[in-house]
Amino acid sequence: QMQLVESGGGLVQPGGSLRVSCTTSGVRLEHYAIGWFRQAPGKDREGVSFISADGFSSGFTTYYADSAKGRFTISRDNAKNTVYLQMNALTPEDTAVYYCAASPNTIATMLWQYDYWGQGVQVTVSS
């Protein structure tokens, strides 16, 4: 069973930035589509951003939820076997537990397409 590990969360003031990371050992993440999801207290888990696998083609695709578009950037560093989510211009509405997940699909944007999940990392945006 692949175990994903998130890091980089914490407390940030409104307008600030954070970069959360997702990695694992023993498996190359480049062969998986990776999604970032978040869940706030009392709310459903929602997709934030997705990136396609790199191991099956020469290109890749990214997707951003409307709430993230223009503020967040998803990227890969295959040498470090890590996927990042750079979050800028954060607002209190971004406060949530952020999860990364891996899918065997080339690209996946649906919750049911993701088989492997991290434990989540808390991101709190507050003054």
Side-chain angles (χ1 to χ4, degrees):
Q1 184 79 14
M2 178 164 53
Q3 297 182 9
L4 303 175
V5 179
E6 302 99 334
S7 62
L11 176 65
V12 64
Q13 63 183 354
S17 299
L18 282 176
R19 187 178 70 170
V20 290
S21 304
C22 176
T23 191
T24 189
S25 60
V27 176
R28 300 302 306 177
L29 289 182
E30 65 195 67
H31 299 305
Y32 294 84
I34 302 296
W36 282 99
F37 299 80
R38 67 186 183 188
Q39 188 166 23
K43 297 183 179 179
D44 293 332
R45 188 169 299 187
E46 62 176 349
V48 178
S49 184
F50 308 91
I51 189 167
S52 64
D54 290 339
F56 304 103
S57 69
S58 59
F60 67 93
T61 301
T62 59
Y63 171 83
Y64 298 93
D66 288 342
S67 60
K69 195 174 302 180
R71 299 189 299 130
F72 294 3
T73 303
I74 189 169
S75 63
R76 291 180 177 270
D77 186 338
N78 290 336
K80 296 182 178 180
N81 200 36
T82 300
V83 176
Y84 301 100
L85 183 67
Q86 177 69 44
M87 301 182 287
N88 299 326
L90 288 163
T91 76
E93 298 301 314
D94 297 312
T95 296
V97 175
Y98 283 71
Y99 300 89
C100 68
S103 170
N105 299 90
T106 302
I107 183 64
T109 59
M110 302 294 289
L111 192 66
W112 62 267
Q113 294 179 293
Y114 284 86
D115 297 321
Y116 308 105
W117 293 81
Q119 80 284 358
V121 62
Q122 179 70 48
V123 172
T124 301
V125 184
S126 176
S127 60

